[in-house]
Structures are given as C-alpha cells and as structure tokens.
Amino acid sequence: MSLDIKRPNINKTKKKKTGFVVKMQLNNNNRGGNKRNIFIFFFFRNYYTWILWFFLSLYFFTSYFSVEDQSPPSSIRLLSNHKTSSSLPSRALIESSAIKTNSFGKKKTSIFYFFSVSNHSFFSKIDFFVLLVNKGLFSGMKIYVYDLPASFNDDWVTASDRCATHLFAAEVAIHRALLSSDVRTLDPEEADFFFVPVYVSCNFSTSNGFPSLSHARSLLSSAVDFLSDHYPFWNRTQGSDHVFVASHDFGACFHAMEDMAIEEGIPEFMKKSIILQTFGVKYKHPCQEVEHVVIPPYIPPESVQRAIEKAPANGRRDIWAFFRGKMEVNPKNISGRFYSKGVRTAILKKFGGRRRFYLNRHRFAGYRSEIVRSVFCLCPLGWAPWSPRLVESAVLGCVPVVIADGIKLPFSETVRWPEISLTVAEKDVRSLRKILEHVAATNLSVIQRNLHGPVFKRALLYNVPMKEGDATWHILESLWRKLDDRSYRRSRVLSQ
C-alpha cells in the first residue's frame, strides 16, 4: 500500500474552506491487477482543532478514573531524558546560562510547560498533563507508619534534645512528617509501604566525640523481630515493602568507618527493604547495594531562617572562601584510616593563613552567619563523602565547592547541582585558589543567580508538617516510582 498526501487546487481568486486530500492506492495482487483509488476528505481547517481538543478532553476525563492503573509518574520519564548531573560538564570551567526548572507533580504547574517540553512524544506530554490534574502526584499511594514501642524512637529524643536537631536527625523529621501526611493510612491492609521508625543515629557519638553505631544492628534486629511477632506484613514480603532511614555516614552498612562498613556489609534481614540514606556514590559500593533513596542531611529550617535574618543588610559577602570544621594539622591515623583521606589537611597546609581563605578548626554555634557572608563554601569529605555543608551552603546562597570524588548528591532531578555548585577533584585541592579565581572571573554571577531559586532550597529542607516540594515530599516521590515493583497490595490488585 502506498500513501500520497496532496493539497487540492485552490482558486486564487476565491477562498474556500478546504483541508488535505489523502489519496490511498491499494495494490491488488489478484489476477488482472485491478487497482482502486480511494479519496478521503477530512479535518477541514475550521473544525480539526475542535475535534482534536474533544479527543484530548475525552482522554483526560477517562484517565481520571484509572489512577490505580497508572504506571510510575510520567514526570519521571520526561526527566530521565534530560542530562543528569553526572553528564553535565563542571561549572568550574564552563560558563552556562541558568536552567529554570519547575517542580514536577505540583498542582500549580503551568499548562504552558506541558506544551514546551521538547524531545518527547506527544502522548508522553499528554500523560504528564494527566498526572498533574489527577489529584496531585501521590494520589492512591498509602504508607502505614508502625507504632513501635518508645524504646525504638521517642525514648531517644527524650534522653537528648540533640537527637532531633543534629545532622543525622532526618530519621526523626521524616517520621514526624509522615505522621501528619495525607499519604498516611491507619489501616495497614491498604498500605503500599510500611515505615519503620527506628532512631539509630540519636546516639551516634560517644562521650569522646568519636562516632559509634555499635548499637544499630541489634536495635534494628529487635525492631524486625517485633514486627514479625505482632504483624503479618513483614513476613509476607520479607520486608521488601518496608522503609528504613539510615541517616549516618555509610548508610545501610550501619558503621561510621568505611573499611568496617564494607566488611560487615548490609544486615541480611534488611537486604530486601528500601533504605533512605544520606550516603551515596556513583561507583559500585557494598553499602548501597540495596534498594535505596539518597536523601539530604538534616538542617533545622529555623536555623536557616535565623541566619538569613542576620545576613548583612547590603547583601555583601566579604568572605571569599570559607570553611569551619575539623581540620587536622596531621591527619589522625586510626587503625590505618586517615581522616578526610588527608584532603582537609592539604587545604589547611596550603591555604591556612592566606588572606582570601577563612579557615577555622574550632566549633562555633553561629557559623551559619559566616556562611551568609561567604562567596565560596568548601565542602570536603570527612569520614564519608557527604557533608551537611552541602545543604547549608546551598540554601544560604554560598557556592558549595564539593571536594569528594564520586559523590552522589540527593534529588538530582530537582536540585540541578551542576548549576549551583562546583566540583573539585580531591587530587586538585592544592590548585583550589586558581580554580576559584577562574570561576569568579567567568561564571560566578550565573551560579549565584541560580542559587536564588526557591525550588531547590525547598527540596533540601525537612518540614513538620511536610510541605509540598520539601525533602520528605521528594522522598515520597521516589517511593511513588517504586510502587509497581514494591507494593504488595498493588501487585495483588493487578493480578486479580
């Protein structure tokens, strides 16, 4: 069959309402070789637009009633075609214009963005728009929050106020946000996921300040035994639809030292579960060989607001390069382990005392007031690649200088890290001054302009109750993507 599309002849002196003529020639292979020509007239100019919108409206209307059968959000498919942070060049060397992003899944997203997305099929755009109008992104997803004995969570907070405010407190913030969230269900039979609120990081530091998680595995094991004895839901899936938080250095391995974390690995009873963890790297690592979501460390929103209120009235940033934190003159060799792999020591030795570098090794409760005065904030690795400085610097408008090879940063589809930060290889720290001077002379203004974006700031902070677009909200978005693979309830419904 051949298909020819032609325009009909139009009388130049007289305008007519015409459309396209489609000539379809069917080749008959029967004896005699007869051919038939069929002319079809369709879609007159004054009517085809209305017909198209009719079918679109019908599609939207019917999709409204099939929420339970939707695949993971179309926004995920759209985003997956964009360049990720790992594929974009470093902003330390290349000038680029600011990328303006929308918060996907928000009910208030403009319809015009629906028509402006490029390089995607027409029906992908339709799916995306349907997603936005179908009662919000998480419609239909339900999470049951276990009511565990207080010895697994609340007792730890009672014993120490620091438990709910330090950099590992994401486990507390997420728990509290879910308790008041619309996705929470009080009926475990209708739940897609089960959240296990065990606070393993509250007692993270010993009296001498050295990190310790020796209690974590036994505490988690006791919690799983409790669930197995009192509920049927863990046993039926071996925990594959259960969610834990591991908001400390090496995540699901539950150890603060990397070599020991690798040696001990992920607890056997948690290998099928979903782990929300601050630890993330782009290379193969035993401590992330489990279904996981990389999340930001906890920074109290109130402290951020106080720091902003104390910022210089003229907005002037009089500190060029800033770092405050643990920096050893000679890195401590603890059983063969050097703190920060010697990176912080190299920075101190090379730039300590330099006029443009403000480096301080001593604690200061109001150090965020120094961040709002700084242009560049150094974020070198500590025991683990990630650091709370990544979040603090970004939300307070200081350009994060990430010095941690292979680090995987949280929510990279929303937080366009290459547009708001610099990445410097660990081996290049002695060239730090030249790199920063190059950026200051080229694209610093672009990065600083990007840092004013409200979407990424909201995504990096936890709120109680949860706010649309904040860190807990993005965690729920990540869980939504796992519904079809992880939800026992949904798999049962689809199989019937």
Side-chain angles (χ1 to χ4, degrees), residues 309-345:
E309 292 171 354
K310 293 180 180 179
N314 59 7
R316 184 170 177 266
R317 293 180 178 267
D318 58 335
I319 300 175
W320 194 67
F322 171 75
F323 178 85
R324 181 183 286 276
K326 185 176 181 179
M327 302 183 81
E328 304 296 340
V329 176
N330 292 294
K332 292 181 179 179
N333 185 338
I334 305 173
S335 302
R337 297 182 288 259
F338 286 92
Y339 183 68
S340 187
K341 298 181 181 178
V343 169
R344 296 192 187 187
T345 298

Side-chain angles (χ1 to χ4, degrees), residues 42 78 114 166 176 187 193 224 254 296 299 350 399 456:
F42 69 101
L78 294 179
F114 159 65
H166 65 16
R176 291 177 175 177
D187 181 3
F193 297 107
V224 171
F254 297 99
I299 306 298
K350 178 72 174 179
V399 179
F456 86 84

Side-chain angles (χ1 to χ4, degrees), residues 24 49 61 81 124 165 171 188 208 230 271 277 380 423 457:
M24 301 179 68
T49 301
F61 181 79
N81 288 333
S124 292
T165 58
E171 59 187 5
N208 62 6
H230 292 80
K271 287 186 175 179
Q277 59 182 36
T423 298
K457 291 182 180 180

Side-chain angles (χ1 to χ4, degrees), residues 15-169:
K15 296 182 179 180
K16 296 182 179 180
K17 298 179 180 179
T18 59
F20 287 101
V21 178
V22 179
K23 178 180 179 181
M24 301 179 68
Q25 187 177 53
L26 302 178
N27 298 325
N28 191 340
N29 293 327
N30 294 334
R31 186 175 300 177
N34 295 329
K35 298 181 178 179
R36 292 183 301 169
N37 294 332
I38 303 175
F39 294 86
I40 303 174
F41 295 83
F42 69 101
F43 291 152
F44 287 99
R45 285 179 184 166
N46 281 13
Y47 303 103
Y48 84 93
T49 301
W50 294 103
I51 296 174
L52 176 61
W53 275 109
F54 170 78
F55 283 106
L56 285 175
S57 300
L58 181 63
Y59 182 87
F60 298 156
F61 181 79
T62 55
S63 297
Y64 181 87
F65 295 98
S66 60
V67 176
E68 290 295 327
D69 295 330
Q70 286 185 22
S71 59
S74 300
S75 62
I76 308 310
R77 296 199 297 273
L78 294 179
L79 283 167
S80 64
N81 288 333
H82 287 281
K83 290 184 178 181
T84 62
S85 58
S86 60
S87 64
L88 291 172
S90 171
R91 291 304 182 264
L93 300 177
I94 297 178
E95 173 80 62
S96 71
S97 60
I99 294 179
K100 297 180 180 179
T101 59
N102 288 334
S103 180
F104 291 97
K106 295 176 67 176
K107 300 173 193 174
K108 297 179 182 179
T109 302
S110 170
I111 188 174
F112 295 105
Y113 191 85
F114 159 65
F115 289 107
S116 68
V117 179
S118 60
N119 299 325
H120 301 289
S121 69
F122 180 67
F123 285 104
S124 292
K125 298 177 186 178
I126 292 177
D127 291 340
F128 175 58
F129 183 75
V130 172
L131 171 69
L132 299 185
V133 298
N134 275 344
K135 297 182 180 179
L137 183 60
F138 312 126
S139 177
M141 183 174 73
K142 295 295 182 182
I143 298 179
Y144 182 77
V145 181
Y146 281 115
D147 185 15
L148 296 178
S151 58
F152 291 107
N153 40 60
D154 287 344
D155 283 354
W156 294 92
V157 180
T158 303
S160 172
D161 293 337
R162 184 172 174 268
C163 174
T165 58
H166 65 16
L167 71 158
F168 309 114

Side-chain angles (χ1 to χ4, degrees), residues 93-372:
L93 300 177
I94 297 178
E95 173 80 62
S96 71
S97 60
I99 294 179
K100 297 180 180 179
T101 59
N102 288 334
S103 180
F104 291 97
K106 295 176 67 176
K107 300 173 193 174
K108 297 179 182 179
T109 302
S110 170
I111 188 174
F112 295 105
Y113 191 85
F114 159 65
F115 289 107
S116 68
V117 179
S118 60
N119 299 325
H120 301 289
S121 69
F122 180 67
F123 285 104
S124 292
K125 298 177 186 178
I126 292 177
D127 291 340
F128 175 58
F129 183 75
V130 172
L131 171 69
L132 299 185
V133 298
N134 275 344
K135 297 182 180 179
L137 183 60
F138 312 126
S139 177
M141 183 174 73
K142 295 295 182 182
I143 298 179
Y144 182 77
V145 181
Y146 281 115
D147 185 15
L148 296 178
S151 58
F152 291 107
N153 40 60
D154 287 344
D155 283 354
W156 294 92
V157 180
T158 303
S160 172
D161 293 337
R162 184 172 174 268
C163 174
T165 58
H166 65 16
L167 71 158
F168 309 114
E171 59 187 5
V172 181
I174 295 169
H175 180 202
R176 291 177 175 177
L178 289 178
L179 288 177
S180 59
S181 170
D182 290 340
V183 303
R184 183 193 180 193
T185 177
L186 299 178
D187 181 3
E189 295 291 347
E190 68 175 18
D192 296 295
F193 297 107
F194 297 81
F195 183 77
V196 187
V198 181
Y199 299 169
V200 300
S201 296
C202 275
N203 193 27
F204 186 82
S205 296
T206 57
S207 57
N208 62 6
F210 193 76
S212 174
L213 280 169
S214 58
H215 65 288
R217 291 172 181 262
S218 60
L219 188 66
L220 289 162
S221 179
S222 297
V224 171
D225 289 341
F226 179 87
L227 298 181
S228 299
D229 293 340
H230 292 80
Y231 300 90
F233 311 108
W234 175 275
N235 295 330
R236 73 184 182 185
T237 65
Q238 295 303 302
S240 65
D241 51 0
H242 284 57
V243 182
F244 295 84
V245 181
S247 54
H248 40 268
D249 284 7
F250 291 98
C253 286
F254 297 99
H255 203 287
M257 301 292 106
E258 185 171 21
D259 55 348
M260 292 299 297
I262 292 174
E263 181 180 337
E264 296 185 11
I266 300 167
E268 192 66 33
F269 59 86
M270 293 180 65
K271 287 186 175 179
K272 292 185 178 181
S273 299
I274 302 171
I275 314 296
L276 311 179
Q277 59 182 36
T278 44
F279 172 71
V281 289
K282 297 174 184 177
Y283 50 86
K284 185 179 177 63
H285 195 287
C287 295
Q288 61 178 23
E289 292 179 357
V290 64
E291 192 71 22
H292 67 281
V293 177
V294 178
I295 63 175
Y298 182 77
I299 306 298
E302 301 80 11
S303 66
V304 172
Q305 185 58 39
R306 285 195 299 269
I308 293 174
E309 292 171 354
K310 293 180 180 179
N314 59 7
R316 184 170 177 266
R317 293 180 178 267
D318 58 335
I319 300 175
W320 194 67
F322 171 75
F323 178 85
R324 181 183 286 276
K326 185 176 181 179
M327 302 183 81
E328 304 296 340
V329 176
N330 292 294
K332 292 181 179 179
N333 185 338
I334 305 173
S335 302
R337 297 182 288 259
F338 286 92
Y339 183 68
S340 187
K341 298 181 181 178
V343 169
R344 296 192 187 187
T345 298
I347 294 173
L348 180 63
K349 288 184 174 181
K350 178 72 174 179
F351 303 106
R354 296 288 184 93
R355 182 178 60 84
R356 306 190 75 184
F357 284 78
Y358 184 88
L359 308 178
N360 203 309
R361 300 165 56 198
H362 303 290
R363 292 179 180 272
F364 170 47
Y367 72 96
R368 293 187 183 96
S369 63
E370 297 171 321
I371 294 178
V372 297

Side-chain angles (χ1 to χ4, degrees), residues 424-461:
V424 177
E426 294 170 16
K427 64 180 179 62
D428 294 332
V429 292
R430 291 174 179 81
S431 301
L432 198 55
R433 181 181 61 82
K434 292 181 179 179
I435 294 173
L436 299 185
E437 286 177 347
H438 176 80
V439 173
T442 55
N443 62 325
L444 176 60
S445 60
V446 173
I447 299 174
Q448 289 178 323
R449 189 161 59 247
N450 293 342
L451 281 169
H452 286 99
V455 173
F456 86 84
K457 291 182 180 180
R458 190 183 310 118
L460 294 176
L461 295 175

